[in-house]
C-alpha cells in the first residue's frame, strides 16, 4: 500500500516537475570533494528546495542519515502531507568524491546526489543533482539565518540552478 501510494504520488507529481532554466545549459557543477559520509550522519531539516517530483505537497521535511558498516549511509526521508506523515527509506553510497548514489525503496532508479557545499561549521549542506531538476538546502536546525540561506542560493546559482525557483520548506 505504501509503495503504491508513493508511485501514485510520483506519477501525479511528474506532470509538473521543476524544469531547469535553459540559460544555465553548459554551466559546470562543482562538488565538495572532501566530504566524508559520516559527516552527514544525524538529522537534517530541509530549509529550501527545488522539489523533486516525489516531494509534492510536503512540509516539515527531514532527512536522517546513519553510517553503515560497509561505509554507506542508511537514510530515511520524512515529510508531512496534510496530517499524514510520509517516510521513505533507502541507502546512499559514495560514487565519487562529493557524489552519492541514492537508492530509495520502491523507486525504480538510483538518484545522483552531489554535495555542492558544506558550511564551515558543518551545519548546512547544499545538495544538487547533475540534471538540476532537484536540489536541497539541509540544516541541522529547523531555521537558518537569512545570510546562510543567501549563501546557499549563491551556491545553487554558481552551479547552474535558477535560484529564483528555490522554494522555502515549511518547518514551523
Amino acid at each position: 500500500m505504501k509503495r503504491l501510494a508513493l508511485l501514485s504520488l510520483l506519477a501525479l507529481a511528474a506532470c509538473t516537475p521543476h524544469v531547469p532554466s535553459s540559460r544555465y545549459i553548459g554551466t559546470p557543477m562543482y562538488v565538495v570533494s572532501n566530504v566524508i559520509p559520516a559527516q552527514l550522519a544525524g538529522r537534517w531539516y530541509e530549509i529550501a528546495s527545488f522539489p523533486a517530483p516525489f516531494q509534492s505537497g510536503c512540509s516539515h521535511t527531514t532527512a536522517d542519515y546513519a553510517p553503515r558498516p560497509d561505509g554507506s549511509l542508511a537514510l530515511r526521508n520524512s515529510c508531512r502531507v496534510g496530517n499524514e506523515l510520509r517516510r521513505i527509506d533507502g541507502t546512499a553510497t559514495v560514487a565519487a568524491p562529493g557524489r552519492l548514489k541514492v537508492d530509495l525503496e520502491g523507486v525504480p532508479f538510483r538518484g545522483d546526489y552531489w554535495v555542492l557545499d558544506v558550511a564551515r561549521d558543518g551545519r548546512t549542506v547544499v545538495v544538487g543533482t547533475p540534471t538540476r531538476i532537484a536540489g536541497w538546502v539541509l540544516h541541522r536546525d529547523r531555521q537558518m539565518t537569512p545570510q546562510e540561506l543567501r549563501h546557499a542560493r549563491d551556491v545553487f546559482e554558481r552551479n547552474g540552478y535558477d535560484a529564483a525557483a528555490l522554494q522555502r520548506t515549511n518547518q514551523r
Side-chain angles (χ1 to χ4, degrees), residues 6 8 10 14 49-50 56 62 70 77 81 85 94 105 108 117 120 128 133:
L6 176 63
S8 297
L10 279 169
S49 70
F50 299 92
S56 180
T62 60
D70 65 1
N77 293 334
V81 177
L85 178 64
V94 176
E105 290 179 358
D117 189 63
R120 285 187 194 143
I133 288 176

Side-chain angles (χ1 to χ4, degrees), residues 78-107:
S78 304
C79 76
R80 291 209 169 274
V81 177
N83 289 327
E84 180 186 350
L85 178 64
R86 294 194 181 162
R87 292 184 179 139
I88 188 166
D89 293 325
T91 305
T93 56
V94 176
R99 297 177 184 194
L100 301 171
K101 284 281 189 188
V102 175
D103 289 301
L104 297 172
E105 290 179 358
V107 177

Side-chain angles (χ1 to χ4, degrees), residues 90-166:
T91 305
T93 56
V94 176
R99 297 177 184 194
L100 301 171
K101 284 281 189 188
V102 175
D103 289 301
L104 297 172
E105 290 179 358
V107 177
F109 53 87
R110 296 176 80 195
D112 292 307
Y113 287 41
W114 291 7
V115 179
L116 305 178
D117 189 63
V118 178
R120 285 187 194 143
D121 64 3
R123 298 187 55 73
T124 305
V125 176
V126 178
V127 179
T129 62
T131 60
R132 297 180 179 93
I133 288 176
W136 303 270
V137 178
L138 304 176
H139 192 62
R140 292 293 187 179
D141 299 308
R142 292 183 188 275
Q143 302 296 318
M144 66 190 314
T145 68
Q147 295 83 0
E148 290 169 321
L149 184 56
R150 226 180 346 270
H151 175 77
R153 283 179 186 274
D154 291 345
V155 168
F156 278 124
E157 189 81 28
R158 278 193 309 273
N159 283 283
Y161 280 82
D162 181 0
L166 186 64

